[in-house]
Amino acid sequence: MLIELRKGMTLHPCTYNAVIAPEKVMISALNNNRDLQRFLFLYVSGNYSRLLSSINRSSKNFEVRRAFTAHQLFTILKEASHTVLLLEHDPTLFDGAEEIMPQIAGMLRDIGRESLVILYAPAVDRSLSVLMRQSDHIIEIATDDDRIGTTMHRNSRS
């Protein structure tokens, strides 16, 4: 099972990916992949979601969980056993709980050994940069009005 973000940019199973991209890129990648309906998919958001209302969720295998604190997110991740885990980053979860961020990053990496893990955000912030340090891949897709275009960075992990 693969998720193509853009032509030539594909997310693979058994990896932890940090994706920084415009909302429409992630929504399109999820809505245009019919294979996702066959797999257990866990969508985790925080206090608010930019994507959820635009994602086609007709599959019975699509589960949504919301975390309102970093400790709730920790519990959700501890219980996760899905083929695909998409965590929509919400920096407000970590207000006053910065000490748990490295543990959550490690949990995402560990889950990524058996599942496709996507940590999504439309922009980088301080808490996202802590969480994505342990990712296998960091993918940044620039906005349409950005002259630089599309960039892709990879971290190599053993």
Side-chain angles (χ1 to χ4, degrees):
M1 193 265 320
L2 305 172
I3 296 178
E4 187 173 54
L5 295 171
R6 281 200 172 162
K7 189 171 179 102
M9 287 187 168
T10 306
L11 304 178
H12 297 270
C14 301
T15 58
Y16 168 28
N17 305 275
V19 177
I20 301 101
E23 296 166 25
K24 66 181 181 178
V25 170
M26 186 56 68
I27 291 166
S28 176
L30 296 172
N31 287 340
N32 292 329
N33 189 333
R34 297 177 197 261
D35 284 345
L36 286 180
Q37 295 184 7
R38 298 182 333 180
F39 299 97
L40 292 175
F41 191 106
L42 176 60
Y43 184 94
V44 181
S45 67
N47 295 304
Y48 62 93
S49 173
R50 295 181 164 133
L51 305 179
L52 194 55
S53 63
S54 300
I55 297 173
N56 298 335
R57 300 177 276 168
S58 59
S59 172
K60 293 178 183 174
N61 295 329
F62 192 95
E63 182 180 348
V64 177
R65 303 275 315 266
R66 295 194 75 140
F68 298 104
T69 67
H71 295 285
Q72 287 177 342
L73 176 60
F74 185 87
T75 300
I76 290 169
L77 295 177
K78 198 162 75 170
E79 297 170 352
S81 61
H82 297 72
T83 310
V84 180
L85 169 74
L86 172 61
L87 171 59
E88 183 178 353
H89 176 62
D90 179 353
T92 65
L93 294 181
F94 303 103
D95 292 342
E98 291 82 7
E99 74 283 349
I100 199 170
M101 289 191 311
Q103 286 178 287
I104 290 176
M107 290 180 78
L108 292 169
R109 183 196 64 234
D110 292 344
I111 295 167
R113 290 182 181 146
E114 296 182 14
S115 303
L116 169 55
V117 175
I118 305 164
L119 171 63
Y120 167 76
V124 177
D125 60 40
R126 192 169 54 170
S127 58
L128 180 71
S129 50
V130 171
L131 294 174
M132 67 186 196
R133 283 184 192 145
Q134 295 190 43
S135 67
D136 297 311
H137 306 280
I138 298 171
I139 300 169
E140 182 176 1
I141 299 175
T143 59
D144 292 338
D145 58 343
D146 188 339
R147 293 183 186 183
I148 296 172
T150 302
T151 59
M152 182 172 171
H153 304 281
R154 292 184 188 254
N155 294 336
S156 24
R157 299 266 181 237
S158 305

